């Protein structure tokens, strides 16, 4: 591929973003240049890309794409850089790595790699991990930003995180509840919305439980149940009350497959704490009427099979793990697990097919961990705050932390602490502006890899290389390979990219021989029937115990009981969230702010692509009941603030959001003025950097005040 292509050709690849889509991209290349990008044109169900995937040409050739290594010349964060040669940039980074390791030890380097690209070879979490393992370790982070609450719940309740179904399973559901789930916009696989709409056509009842009347609710649901954010557990528990009191449980299922129903029942009926978790009790907490709760409970227990799809956003709240545990418990007591048309609520959603047998190997090495919500605190306080090390060097790979992590203004202070910051990036993001050296990275179209869906997809996409890396850009793997050779780490990489992919393919029984796979471009794993999580456990429990300590679905977890932490109880319980509707701070900050994902971005990626920016919804949704007393009408500039920060954005006054709640899409780039007021619309200027007890990131537990800018 060294010679520019003289001919036109079509290359099959896929996005590598941290997005539930893993869609087919057909890239038309002319003379070594991307001419256009299209997608799967087969009849449905197709693996069709959305507007973001179709924007790859604009990403690759964006005017603001980083094309040369940069060295900071102004104050940190000023955005003043000058281009330097790769030789100088790599020598500087290698020199700093050696210096900090020799002077302080490797734990004083913090690797902040994240989700910029997720693929088995060039995924951001690959090369850096391998490099630092062989380098002798570093400090790094833990906690899945998307679904740590769901992962905790699945592991506790079912003993595994692999709890997904293939989306054709919805064709068997008679009731589907989109719980904090907006899959037409927030993509979870290219086939999901299609199967949901087919299910609707064949008569499934679809209900949406969400503070917003979403695009998915409009397209699919016959009922919208608006709820106050962070109170979902109370609603689920009160549904449990109705199901238990009206004797709608699946007794045989409970007896055969679960442990701990009695303890849950005692909690629900108030035997444990004197409070019956009645629909009226939940009405006062959630804002959902008792009648609606009763009906929802009856529907869920009787219109079977039912799929209660408890998505992750409600889990990204304070005590969000209880929501996933409660949803799993309801699925269990109604027998909606392991059966076609059912759904393992609280799950992370992977199906076993669609996951490679091997990815870039990361040898074991000492790596102290800091929770992602504590990264800023760890930078600021170091060992004096009880953290593993005083961080001297911050190594950022594919992460826009300043924008996407909780409490951006604390991040501003934290990024002044390290002696040296490196960032591997495609664009000069708000975070990359704080680096001392920025290394420009190639993109999906400039390298080869494998696309594996992170939702319920049972296919793989061979991501062929469409074009040569833009001059002076390199993959993360190539960058670490060069650093490794400067630091004498000879074992780092002795293979070509294609040789690695051959190995990964060979280690995956579901894939054909590499040459065949490459030729096919897309490989679907043929399935005779939809994949349903835990079908084997349910059909033949004697030979297939659940991988939990008891071998059963754990409504009550002895492991949690032994932890003896009232904030992580052994049965799911409603615990009032900080910065929820009941929090005392609400006198001062009476509005709950949520920040869903944008249809036009992947997290903060793609924010700077003009065509996508033009179609992003960056207004702040407010109910007329909140807007009118404040004199706010649609289009007004509003100030949203709390003790952590201030931002100015545009209002959209809308009945499609519950009163008392404001919603602004996450991912807009932070752009503070000289007073520190963000005019970029970065929601995390307002969020609090405190993890939930099981490690969830509570982006959706955030109280604010809103005023009109006059
Ligand atoms: N287009 C697009 N697709 C994406 C992404 C993207 O950025 N853009 N990001 C991908 C990633 S990284 C992830 S983790 C997933 C995220 O997937 P989700 O977590 O499911 O997505 P969100 O958009 O944050 O929220 C979904 C819905 O939950 C509602 N919601 C918020 N808080 C609450 C609550 O407390 N209770 C209830 N009942 N509802 C609530 C919101 O109003 C929204 O409609 O999406 C993936 N897919
Ligand atoms: N308020 C609020 N905040 C949230 C959320 C929310 O719902 N609300 N959701 C959270 C969730 S679920 C997530 S997953 C996180 C995501 O947070 P991040 O993982 O930080 O995601 P991005 O903002 O997309 O940043 C990824 C960066 O990687 C860069 N990049 C892309 N490809 C490559 C590559 O190949 N190599 C390198 N080195 N860089 C690359 C992109 O340009 C981008 O700047 O955000 C979290 N933040
Ligand atoms: Mo995520």
């Amino acid at each position: 591929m060294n010679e520019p292509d003289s001919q036109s050709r079509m290359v099959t690849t896929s996005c590598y973003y941290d997005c539930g889509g893993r869609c087919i991209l057909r890239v038309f290349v002319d003379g070594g240049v991307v001419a256009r990008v299209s997608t799967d044109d087969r009849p449905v169900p197709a693996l069709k890309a959305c507007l973001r995937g179709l924007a790859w040409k604009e990403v690759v050739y964006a005017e603001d794409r980083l094309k040369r290594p940069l060295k900071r010349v102004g104050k940190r964060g000023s955005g003043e850089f000058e281009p330097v040669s790769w030789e100088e940039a790599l020598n500087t980074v290698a020199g700093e790595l050696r210096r900090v390791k020799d002077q302080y030890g490797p734990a004083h380097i913090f690797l902040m790699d994240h989700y910029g690209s997720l693929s088995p070879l060039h995924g951001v979490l690959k090369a850096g991990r391998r490099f630092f393992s062989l380098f002798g370790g570093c400090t790094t982070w833990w906690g899945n930003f998307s679904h740590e609450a769901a992962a905790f719940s699945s592991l506790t309740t079912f003993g595994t995180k692999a709890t997904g179904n293939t989306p054709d399973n919805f064709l068997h559901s008679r009731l589907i509840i989109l719980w904090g789930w907006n899959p037409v916009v927030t993509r979870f696989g290219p086939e999901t919305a299609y199967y949901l709409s087919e299910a609707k056509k064949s008569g499934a009842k679809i209900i949406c439980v969400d503070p917003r009347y979403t695009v998915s609710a409009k397209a699919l649901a016959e009922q919208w149940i608006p709820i106050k954010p962070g109170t979902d557990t109370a609603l689920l528990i009160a549904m449990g009350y109705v199901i238990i009191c009206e004797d709608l449980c699946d007794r045989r299922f409970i007896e055969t497959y679960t442990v701990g129903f009695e303890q849950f029942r005692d909690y629900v009926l108030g035997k444990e704490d004197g409070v019956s978790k009645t629909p009226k009790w939940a009405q006062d907490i959630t804002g959902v009427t008792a009648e609606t709760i009763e009906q929802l409970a009856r529907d869920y227990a009787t219109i079977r099979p039912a799929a209660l799809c408890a998505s992750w956003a409600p889990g990204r709240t304070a005590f969000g793990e209880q929501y996933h545990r409660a949803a799993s418990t309801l699925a269990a007591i109604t027998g909606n697990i392991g059966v076609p048309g059912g759904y393992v609520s609280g799950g992370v959603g992977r199906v076993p097919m669609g996951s490679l047998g091997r990815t870039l190997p990361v040898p074991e090495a000492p790596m102290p961990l800091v929770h992602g919500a504590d990264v800023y605190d760890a930078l600021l306080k170091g060992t004096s705050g009880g953290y593993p090390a005083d961080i001297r060097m911050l190594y950022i790979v594919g992460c826009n932390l300043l924008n996407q992590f909780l409490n951006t203004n604390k991040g501003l202070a934290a990024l002044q602490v390290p002696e040296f910051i490196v960032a591997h990036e495609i664009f000069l993001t708000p975070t990359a502006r704080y680096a001392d050296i920025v290394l420009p990275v190639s993109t999906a179209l400039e390298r080869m890899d494998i696309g594996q869906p992170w939702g319920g997809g049972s296919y793989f996409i061979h991501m062929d290389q469409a074009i040569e890396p833009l001059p002076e850009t390199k993959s993360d793997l190539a960058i670490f390979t060069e650093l490794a050779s400067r630091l004498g780490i000879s074992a780092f990489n002795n293979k070509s990219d294609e040789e690695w992919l051959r190995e990964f393919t060979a280690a995956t029984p579901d894939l054909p021989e590499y040459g065949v796979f490459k030729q096919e471009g897309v490989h679907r794993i043929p399935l005779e029937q939809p994949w349903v999580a835990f079908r084997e456990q349910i059909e033949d429990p004697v030979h297939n115990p659940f991988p939990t300590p008891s071998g059963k679905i754990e409504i009550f977890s002895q492991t949690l009981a032994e932890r003896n932490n009232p904030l992580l109880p052994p049965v799911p319980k409603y615990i009032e969230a900080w910065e929820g509707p009941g929090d005392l701070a609400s006198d001062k900050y009476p509005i709950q702010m949520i920040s869903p994902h944008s249809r036009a971005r992947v997290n903060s990626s793609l924010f700077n692509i003009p065509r996508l920016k033009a179609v992003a919804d960056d207004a702040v949704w407010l109910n007329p009941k909140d807007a009118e007393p404040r004199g706010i009408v649609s289009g007004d500039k509003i100030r949203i603030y709390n003790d952590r920060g201030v931002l100015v954005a545009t209002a959209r006054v809308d009945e499609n959001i519950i009163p008392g709640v404001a919603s602004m899409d996450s991912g807009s780039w932070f752009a503070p003025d000289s007073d520190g007021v963000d005019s970029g619309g970065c929601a995390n200027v307002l969020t609090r950097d405190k993890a939930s007890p099981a490690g969830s990131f509570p982006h959706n537990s955030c109280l604010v005040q809103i005023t009109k800018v006059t």
Side-chain angles (χ1 to χ4, degrees):
M1 289 248 329
N2 288 330
E3 291 298 306
D5 285 324
S6 56
Q7 292 169 333
S8 300
R9 57 192 191 105
M10 191 203 66
V11 172
T12 296
T13 183
S14 166
C15 291
Y16 59 30
Y17 295 127
D18 180 20
C19 169
R22 247 332 151 255
C23 315
I24 295 179
L25 299 175
R26 308 279 189 203
V27 183
F28 293 84
V29 180
D30 218 336
V33 174
V34 177
R36 69 187 172 90
V37 178
S38 85
T39 184
D40 198 2
D41 51 8
R42 295 167 310 161
V44 283
L47 303 174
K48 269 203 199 319
C50 72
L51 69 171
R52 297 165 301 151
L54 295 174
W56 265 109
K57 183 177 165 187
E58 285 94 317
V59 173
V60 170
Y61 300 118
E63 255 175 57
D64 50 347
R65 173 99 189 261
L66 292 170
K67 293 180 205 100
R68 314 250 326 254
L70 299 176
K71 175 177 151 188
R72 177 171 68 83
V73 289
K75 245 179 76 218
R76 212 180 247 176
S78 64
E80 289 163 44
F81 293 92
E82 69 180 25
V84 290
S85 67
W86 269 103
E87 195 57 23
E88 180 180 340
L90 289 169
N91 287 344
T92 308
V93 175
E96 285 296 309
L97 284 166
R98 192 180 289 116
R99 177 184 72 84
V100 176
K101 184 180 174 186
D102 291 350
Q103 219 171 317
Y104 307 103
H108 295 257
I109 303 170
F110 195 101
L111 172 63
M112 191 57 251
D113 49 357
H114 217 230
Y115 306 151
S117 67
L118 290 182
S119 46
L121 181 60
H122 291 296
V124 163
L125 295 169
K126 300 297 170 189
R129 296 270 154 157
R130 181 172 167 80
F131 173 85
F132 278 104
S133 286
L134 296 168
F135 175 76
C138 64
T139 299
T140 189
W141 57 283
W142 76 275
N144 187 298
F145 276 67
S146 318
H147 57 64
E148 189 64 31
F152 167 83
S153 167
S154 294
L155 281 170
T156 305
T157 317
F158 305 109
T160 170
K161 289 198 259 181
T163 57
N165 301 335
T166 47
D168 50 347
N169 187 51
F170 285 126
L171 300 178
H172 299 271
S173 305
R174 291 186 55 232
L175 174 75
I176 299 169
I177 310 181
L178 309 177
W179 201 301
W181 199 35
N182 181 18
V184 174
V185 169
T186 313
R187 300 261 285 185
F188 277 78
E191 303 162 299
T192 303
Y194 165 77
Y195 281 113
L196 286 169
S197 74
E198 286 299 295
K200 178 187 162 76
K201 277 189 214 153
S202 51
K205 178 172 182 177
I206 303 187
I207 301 173
C208 169
V209 181
D210 199 298
R212 304 182 308 151
Y213 188 42
T214 59
V215 172
S216 305
K218 283 180 198 156
L220 298 165
E222 60 190 72
Q223 187 185 5
W224 170 41
I225 301 178
I227 185 170
K228 293 180 191 170
T231 67
D232 301 84
T233 311
L235 178 51
L236 290 160
I237 299 242
M239 285 168 69
Y241 180 92
V242 176
I243 292 168
I244 291 168
C245 292
E246 299 189 2
D247 202 14
L248 301 174
C249 295
D250 185 332
R251 289 188 171 281
R252 192 193 62 84
F253 190 97
I254 292 172
E255 276 159 28
T256 317
Y257 304 109
T258 74
V259 290
F261 172 70
E262 294 72 23
Q263 287 97 324
F264 178 66
R265 187 188 54 201
D266 287 352
Y267 165 70
V268 168
L269 299 181
K271 288 196 185 143
E272 194 192 304
D273 58 0
V275 182
S276 302
K277 313 302 179 305
T278 61
K280 177 67 181 65
W281 165 82
Q283 171 178 311
D284 296 341
I285 298 168
T286 61
V288 183
T289 65
E291 298 74 53
T292 306
I293 298 173
E294 281 163 15
Q295 192 53 48
L296 180 64
R298 289 180 197 134
D299 280 355
Y300 182 55
T302 59
I303 310 179
R304 288 178 27 186
L308 194 174
C309 306
S311 194
W312 301 335
R316 290 198 300 278
T317 59
F319 308 109
E321 50 274 358
Q322 299 306 317
Y323 149 78
H324 287 291
R325 286 269 289 145
S328 307
T329 297
L330 285 200
I333 69 173
T334 56
N336 275 305
I337 293 171
V339 292
Y343 197 93
V344 184
S345 289
V348 173
R350 256 219 192 274
V351 294
M353 313 78 57
S355 194
L356 285 175
R358 207 181 145 189
T359 63
L360 192 69
V362 177
E364 287 280 320
M367 296 233 187
L369 301 175
V370 173
H371 187 271
D374 296 328
V375 169
Y376 296 150
D377 214 44
L379 288 171
L380 289 164
K381 296 192 185 135
T383 46
S384 70
Y387 295 103
D390 298 314
I391 300 307
R392 307 283 171 172
M393 178 169 182
L394 178 61
Y395 205 116
I396 302 169
V397 193
C399 181
N400 194 359
L401 57 147
L402 199 52
N403 220 80
Q404 294 306 101
F405 288 18
L406 302 153
N407 201 349
T408 298
N409 284 315
K410 193 168 183 181
L412 279 183
L415 289 182
Q416 295 296 349
V417 173
E419 290 162 15
F420 194 77
I421 304 182
V422 194
H424 292 199
E425 252 301 346
I426 290 172
F427 295 109
L428 196 61
T429 60
T431 306
R433 288 169 74 91
Y434 280 77
D436 299 300
I437 291 276
V438 185
L439 301 176
V441 179
S442 60
T443 68
L445 268 49
E446 296 152 84
R447 55 210 198 190
M448 55 183 0
D449 217 315
I450 296 176
Q452 40 175 357
W454 57 241
S458 50
Y459 60 89
F460 294 94
I461 301 176
H462 182 273
M463 298 168 64
D464 212 346
Q465 183 173 352
I467 54 169
E468 285 296 303
L470 253 53
E472 297 220 28
T473 68
K474 292 179 198 287
S475 69
D476 297 295
L477 181 58
I479 295 171
F480 281 113
T481 305
E482 297 214 23
L483 288 174
S485 87
R486 279 170 174 75
L487 293 166
I489 307 172
S490 56
F492 180 72
N493 187 9
N494 53 4
K495 290 187 180 56
S496 71
D497 287 7
E498 187 150 14
E499 280 164 350
W500 282 117
L501 298 186
R502 261 180 210 287
E503 263 197 36
F504 302 168
T505 307
T508 309
D510 285 321
L511 276 175
E513 188 270 314
Y514 178 75
V516 176
F517 174 39
K518 187 175 176 186
Q519 177 74 31
E520 283 180 326
V522 183
H523 184 79
R524 246 187 205 284
I525 293 123
L527 295 175
E528 279 167 19
Q529 53 184 6
W531 173 266
V532 175
F534 306 129
R535 197 195 279 261
E536 288 168 6
Q537 281 82 351
I538 300 308
E539 286 177 359
D540 182 3
V542 174
H543 296 103
N544 301 296
F546 279 84
T548 52
S550 64
K552 300 208 171 182
I553 298 171
E554 301 208 342
I555 297 173
F556 176 94
S557 159
Q558 185 58 34
T559 314
L560 284 185
E562 281 160 22
R563 279 172 76 171
N564 203 17
N565 176 354
L567 301 181
L568 283 177
V571 294
K573 289 187 177 172
Y574 174 67
I575 306 174
E576 192 170 290
W578 64 80
E579 303 215 13
D583 193 308
L584 287 178
S586 59
D587 282 348
K588 201 169 164 201
Y589 299 122
I591 297 204
Q592 291 187 268
M593 194 196 73
I594 55 170
S595 42
H597 291 224
S598 164
R599 72 185 280 260
R601 295 189 279 273
V602 187
N603 298 305
S604 77
S605 298
L606 302 173
F607 165 80
N608 56 324
I609 304 300
R611 182 155 68 99
L612 296 177
K613 203 169 183 163
V615 296
D617 170 13
D618 281 328
V620 178
W621 299 23
L622 260 188
N623 187 277
K625 288 207 176 85
D626 298 309
E628 276 158 20
R630 292 173 171 79
I632 296 168
V633 296
S634 284
D636 278 352
K637 284 270 165 246
I638 54 174
R639 218 177 137 80
I640 314 181
Y641 62 94
N642 59 21
D643 291 343
R644 292 175 291 265
V646 188
L647 66 83
V648 171
T650 306
R652 173 165 132 198
V653 180
D654 199 326
E655 295 277 358
N656 290 324
I657 184 161
I658 186 174
V661 179
S663 170
M664 62 184 303
D665 282 358
S666 59
S668 276
W669 284 12
F670 178 55
D673 67 14
S674 52
D675 297 325
V677 176
D678 172 38
S679 61
C682 169
N684 289 313
V685 161
L686 302 163
T687 53
R688 177 172 173 189
D689 52 324
K690 176 175 170 170
S692 194
S696 165
F697 293 78
H699 290 98
N700 291 319
S701 292
C702 177
L703 289 177
V704 300
Q705 179 55 291
I706 298 185
T707 54
K708 180 172 166 160
V709 176
T710 45

